[in-house]
């Protein structure tokens, strides 16, 4: 194993000695079989039966993986996701168990037992069906973290409709793009929401989006703000509608394993977000199995995942995974530091949370605020901690382990993506030793390689690109559609840089292309650039990510104004507004620099690598390819001027 320095400059030896999971955790863990990886490898792809066994099938599948024309997981099988997440737990005598606990921004709490969830989902499914929603139709949601959001997702699943959840922080334009792209004729939204005590209007954004799409959109609206506002003729009130259908039940519609359960948009390499469709059978099997094996969840456990349901992490590990297993999932509205910086730890304490799952950026914020906030609360209910969304550095890992987990909880550093549906690389917390800073080996049944630009595996410790070399059930539909001439050559390029050590542990180094992980969210720099260059007075723009002292990604926009662009301050403001309008406030660059030019090659290609180095305050290397090397010094002094 090469103990040298990785491409991020951190020494791979820094991972120190592996940490064994505590015996107290192993004693109660769901998975303790150390030979699981081998048994999956020996029986591949049949090993995935194990994941499918977590589900109840309406009709059994014929083959685990049919690879005759693309990849078709659990071919021939039918099932319903809402039945699997709700009905079967009620039938198994757990109707009074909490399925969903919610804490609202104003301190309200609501608990839905599995039976409550059953009633709500049935009533909404009946209402949606009555409004014309049919199997295969796309129903869009645009809501913050309210219980009505998972209820709507499950009601769609019940009648075979495909949901498209749009994060409430997205702008009207972003919602319109998604509505139009999916030709969705149904929208479930809410009037507004509270963030840090302030009410935000969501309905206005929904109105604007609907004006902008060719189809007419049937709209349901949840009353969150309770402000006596009239919604007008275009909206039907959610609560009143549900009241009409209370007591009605709707037979869950059996869906083919490969039928889409939902569509979700993510940032790709182009200026436009890309649609990712996940299947009913393979996806649900993957998230149920990983919730069991990695998050160690089961009936009786309470899970808190801090991700918004609008992102894939929320789909898989707030909604589908925990509910498929009959666990309790906790949903909270808003941010972790309002009204106080201990808000999240209060939620953990009040709900006796067993498993806590969050992005490293959240943990780094807690670390900055200080250990007194978690220390103020009784966190002894926690058994397991998890992270997702970006690499976790060793310092943050140790802080989390000590101050949140009391040194007793294993940490799973879980690597996956929107496209993978569920976790693919992680330690099994009851089996594997932890190496802070490394996610872990690929899960049983998953095959991954770190390769050089020619596709050949690199030596242990050397950096390369992470590729997945075998399909898995939770893969997005689009990934498995074509397997080419020789399916054994199939591979999926993840777009992440990584190293792998001699023990098979994968250490992630960050994204390779032009997508970034910003505050635990994936964002495409090309999408942000597309919004900026559309601004009047902007000639050119390039957006890159830099790391701040807390290792959080900060967005730098280098913008070249046109000659007659007018006031610089106003132009900066227009740039910020344009990004907020096109994508949402969360995508607005932290720094907008007005620059006379961008570093370009002789053929006119912008070298973003240099822009990244300048933003990071690093020495700019290899300016030989530039046709305008003098711009580098100029940009350095502009950046110096703002930092
Ligand atoms: C990054 C979120 C390091 C990675 C589930 C990936 C991680 C992108 C980890 C996907 C991890 C996710 N360590 N990096 N444990 N988990 N990532 O689609 O760059 O929003 O490609 O899915 O997040 O982001 P996405």
């Amino acid at each position: 194993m090469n103990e040298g320095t990785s491409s991020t400059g951190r020494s791979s030896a820094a991972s120190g000695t592996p940490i064994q999971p505590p015996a107290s955790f192993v004693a109660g863990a769901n998975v303790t079989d150390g030979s699981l990886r081998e048994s999956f490898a020996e029986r591949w792809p049949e090993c995935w039966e194990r994941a499918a066994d977590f589900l109840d099938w309406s009709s059994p599948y014929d083959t685990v993986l049919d690879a005759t024309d693309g990849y078709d997981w659990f071919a021939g099988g039918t099932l319903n996701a809402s039945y699997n997440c709700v009905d079967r737990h009620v039938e198994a005598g757990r109707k009074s168990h909490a399925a969903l606990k919610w804490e609202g921004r104003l301190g309200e709490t609501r608990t839905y037992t599995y039976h409550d969830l059953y009633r709500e989902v049935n009533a909404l499914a009946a209402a949606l069906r009555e409004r014309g929603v049919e199997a295969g139709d796309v129903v869009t949601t645009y809501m913050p973290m309210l219980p009505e959001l998972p209820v709507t997702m499950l009601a769609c699943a019940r009648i075979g409709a495909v949901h498209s959840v749009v994060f409430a922080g997205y702008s009207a334009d972003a919602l319109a793009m998604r509505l139009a792209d999916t030709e969705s004729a149904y929208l479930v939204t809410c009037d507004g929401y509270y963030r840090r005590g302030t009410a935000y209007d969501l309905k206005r954004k929904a109105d604007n989006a609907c004006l902008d799409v060719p189809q007419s959109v049937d709209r349901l609206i949840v009353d969150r703000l309770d402000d006596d506002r009239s919604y007008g003729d275009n909206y039907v009130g959610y609560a009143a509608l549900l009241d009409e259908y209370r007591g009605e039940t709707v037979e869950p519609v059996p869906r083919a394993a490969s039928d889409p359960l939902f569509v979700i948009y993510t940032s790709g390499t182009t200026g436009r977000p890309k649609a990712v469709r996940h299947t009913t059978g393979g996806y649900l099997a993957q998230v149920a199995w990983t919730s069991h094996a990695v998050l160690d969840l089961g009936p009786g456990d309470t899970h808190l995942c801090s991700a918004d349901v609008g992102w894939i992490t929320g789909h898989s590990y707030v909604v589908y995974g925990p509910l498929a297993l009959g666990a309790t999932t906790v949903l909270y509205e808003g941010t972790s530091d309002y009204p106080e910086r201990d808000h999240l730890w209060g939620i953990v304490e009040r709900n006796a949370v067993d498993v806590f799952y969050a992005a490293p950026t959240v943990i780094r914020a807690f670390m900055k605020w200080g250990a007194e906030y978690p220390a103020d609360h009784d966190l002894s209910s926690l058994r397991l901690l998890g992270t997702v969304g970006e690499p976790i550095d060793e310092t943050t890992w140790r802080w989390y382990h000590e101050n949140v987990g009391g040194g007793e909880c294993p940490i799973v550093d879980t690597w996956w993506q929107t496209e993978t549906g569920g976790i693919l690389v992680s330690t099994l917390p009851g089996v594997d030793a932890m190496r802070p800073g490394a996610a872990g080996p690929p899960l049983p049944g998953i095959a991954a390689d770190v390769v050089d630009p020619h596709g050949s595996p690199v030596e242990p410790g050397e950096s390369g690109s992470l590729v997945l070399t075998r399909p898995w059930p939770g893969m997005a539909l689009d990934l498995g559609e074509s397997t080419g001439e020789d399916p054994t050559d199939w591979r999926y390029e993840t777009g992440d840089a990584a190293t792998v050590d001699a023990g098979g542990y994968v250490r992630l180094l960050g994204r390779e292309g032009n997508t970034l992980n910003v505050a635990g969210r994936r964002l495409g720099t090309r999408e942000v650039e597309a919004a900026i260059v559309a601004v009047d007075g902007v000639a050119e723009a390039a957006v890159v990510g830099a790391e701040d002292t807390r290792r959080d990604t900060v967005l730098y926009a280098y913008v070249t104004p046109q000659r007659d662009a007018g006031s610089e301050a106003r132009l900066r403001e227009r740039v910020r507004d344009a990004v907020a309008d096109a994508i949402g406030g969360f995508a607005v660059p932290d720094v907008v620099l007005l620059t006379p030019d961008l570093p370009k090659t002789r053929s006119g290609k912008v070298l973003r690598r240099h822009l990244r180095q300048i933003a990071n305050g690093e020495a700019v290397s290899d300016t030989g390819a530039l046709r305008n090397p003098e711009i580098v010094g100029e940009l350095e002094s502009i950046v110096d001027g703002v930092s």
Side-chain angles (χ1 to χ4, degrees):
M1 177 181 165
N2 178 353
E3 295 282 314
T5 307
S6 70
S7 70
T8 57
R10 273 167 254 158
S11 162
S12 55
S15 60
T17 36
I19 300 170
Q20 295 300 330
S24 54
F25 178 85
V26 176
N30 284 344
V31 175
T32 52
D33 176 3
S35 66
L36 205 59
R37 282 196 175 79
E38 285 129 65
S39 62
F40 265 71
E42 279 159 18
R43 293 189 56 248
W44 197 91
E46 295 76 30
C47 57
W48 286 109
E49 280 164 9
R50 190 188 277 263
D53 283 349
F54 278 89
L55 307 178
D56 279 9
W57 295 79
S58 317
S59 54
Y61 50 88
D62 305 318
T63 31
V64 171
L65 176 59
D66 177 351
T68 44
D69 178 23
Y71 291 131
D72 190 0
W73 286 93
F74 309 122
T78 64
L79 76 166
N80 182 280
S82 146
Y83 177 83
N84 273 279
C85 292
V86 187
D87 304 42
R88 62 173 178 155
H89 307 310
V90 173
E91 288 168 11
R94 293 201 300 275
K95 67 175 197 262
S96 58
H97 285 221
L100 202 153
K101 289 185 170 179
W102 177 73
E103 295 213 359
R105 187 31 90 216
L106 304 176
E108 321 91 307
T109 58
R110 275 196 244 162
T111 298
Y112 291 71
T113 64
Y114 272 99
H115 199 243
D116 295 333
L117 194 57
Y118 176 82
R119 285 196 189 123
E120 296 277 316
V121 168
N122 271 286
L124 184 61
L128 290 175
R129 185 175 266 180
E130 199 64 29
R131 299 196 74 76
V133 179
E134 290 177 10
D137 286 351
V138 176
V139 175
T140 304
T141 70
Y142 187 48
M143 261 190 271
M145 293 283 272
L146 298 176
E148 286 83 353
L149 179 49
V151 167
T152 305
M153 293 161 78
L154 293 166
C156 289
R158 193 165 195 87
I159 56 177
V162 175
H163 58 72
S164 168
V165 176
V166 179
F167 172 55
Y170 274 123
S171 64
D173 285 1
L175 172 62
M177 181 256 136
R178 287 157 177 76
L179 280 167
D181 200 48
T182 54
E183 298 176 13
S184 174
Y186 301 91
L187 176 67
V188 185
T189 185
C190 81
D191 53 351
Y193 59 96
Y194 295 98
R195 209 173 151 81
R196 300 181 185 281
T198 308
Y200 283 83
D201 192 342
L202 204 60
K203 178 176 175 288
R204 193 172 43 85
K205 290 203 283 177
D207 285 340
N208 288 340
C210 290
L211 283 175
D212 239 22
V213 297
Q215 72 271 31
S216 73
V217 181
D218 188 72
R219 298 168 229 177
L220 301 190
I221 187 159
V222 175
D223 178 7
R224 173 69 185 118
L225 299 181
D226 201 14
D227 59 0
D228 292 331
R229 169 158 62 148
S230 131
Y231 299 136
D233 294 341
N234 287 325
Y235 288 87
V236 173
Y238 177 101
L241 183 70
L242 225 66
D243 278 344
E244 273 179 47
Y245 289 88
R246 257 180 221 293
E248 294 206 13
T249 53
V250 177
E251 270 304 296
V253 175
R255 300 286 279 162
S258 59
D259 279 341
L261 177 62
F262 63 85
V263 57
I264 184 166
Y265 284 78
T266 189
S267 293
T269 52
T270 70
R272 244 176 108 79
K274 65 171 180 180
V276 173
R277 291 173 305 150
H278 277 292
T279 63
T280 308
Y283 169 81
L284 205 60
Q286 186 96 36
V287 298
W289 147 249
T290 49
S291 295
H292 166 87
V294 180
L295 299 181
D296 204 55
L297 292 175
D301 280 323
T302 299
H303 180 52
L304 172 59
C305 165
S306 73
D308 194 285
V309 171
W311 309 107
I312 191 69
T313 308
H315 280 62
S316 300
Y317 299 111
V318 176
V319 181
Y320 285 112
L323 295 180
L325 296 183
T328 304
T329 188
V330 181
L331 223 74
Y332 72 100
E333 192 189 24
T335 46
S336 50
D337 61 342
Y338 184 87
E340 293 297 335
R341 286 173 167 179
D342 66 345
H343 184 61
L344 206 60
W345 310 127
I347 297 176
V348 171
E349 183 174 4
R350 282 190 292 280
N351 296 285
V353 169
D354 295 88
V355 179
F356 176 67
Y357 191 41
T361 182
V362 173
I363 301 153
R364 284 194 298 266
F366 281 115
M367 189 164 80
K368 189 178 95 187
W369 299 331
E372 61 269 30
Y373 295 101
D376 262 356
H377 291 271
D378 177 357
L379 304 181
S380 59
S381 61
L382 290 171
R383 281 192 298 117
L384 176 68
L385 304 175
T387 68
V388 57
E390 53 183 332
I392 180 163
D393 57 283
E394 191 170 353
T395 312
T396 309
W397 194 101
R398 291 195 186 278
W399 187 91
Y400 192 31
H401 190 245
E402 208 44 52
N403 296 287
V404 180
E408 294 284 311
C409 301
I411 297 179
V412 283
D413 174 354
T414 65
W415 178 90
W416 58 292
Q417 306 180 306
T418 305
E419 294 86 341
T420 72
I423 301 166
L424 296 194
V425 177
S426 170
T427 52
L428 292 168
V431 174
D432 300 314
M434 296 165 274
R435 293 172 184 271
L443 288 182
I446 303 297
D449 259 333
V450 175
V451 299
D452 66 19
H454 309 290
S456 314
V458 299
E459 291 297 312
E462 276 178 23
S463 64
S465 310
L466 182 68
V467 295
L468 301 163
T469 54
R470 266 184 194 163
W472 61 96
M475 66 199 302
L477 258 178
D478 322 70
L479 298 192
E481 264 173 356
S482 136
T483 50
E485 309 221 314
D486 181 0
T488 55
D489 273 351
W490 182 88
R491 53 175 53 194
Y492 166 65
E493 290 170 14
T494 68
D496 279 341
T499 64
V500 61
D501 69 19
Y505 276 52
V506 178
R507 178 180 298 266
L508 280 308
L509 306 172
R511 300 284 303 165
E512 292 185 312
N514 43 27
T515 68
L516 298 169
N517 300 314
V518 182
R521 280 159 202 170
R522 185 149 133 204
L523 187 64
T525 53
R526 294 292 194 271
E527 272 169 66
V528 182
E529 287 170 7
I532 298 176
V533 295
V535 172
D536 253 2
V538 170
E540 270 189 311
V543 172
V544 297
E547 259 190 14
D548 68 7
T549 48
R550 260 177 52 201
R551 291 179 190 277
D552 273 333
T553 303
V554 273
L555 269 195
Y556 274 71
Y558 294 82
V559 178
T560 313
Q562 280 163 355
R563 211 177 284 272
D564 49 359
S567 143
E568 293 203 342
R570 289 248 289 286
L571 183 61
R572 276 201 197 87
E573 205 177 296
R574 289 209 300 279
V575 164
R576 293 204 164 92
D577 288 349
V579 177
D581 286 347
I583 308 175
F586 68 97
V588 172
D590 304 276
V591 183
V592 178
L593 300 165
L594 300 185
T595 66
D597 200 357
L598 299 172
K600 285 183 194 140
T601 61
R602 279 173 194 88
S603 59
K605 194 167 163 269
V606 175
L607 283 180
R608 290 177 175 73
R609 178 164 50 92
H610 294 326
L611 294 173
R612 221 168 3 251
Q613 287 168 333
I614 295 168
N616 275 319
E618 294 164 7
V620 175
S621 52
D622 307 332
T623 53
L626 292 181
R627 103 173 154 213
N628 55 347
E630 69 287 348
I631 191 67
V632 168
E634 247 182 281
L635 292 178
E636 281 171 338
S637 55
I638 293 175
V639 170
D640 276 350
V642 296
S643 50

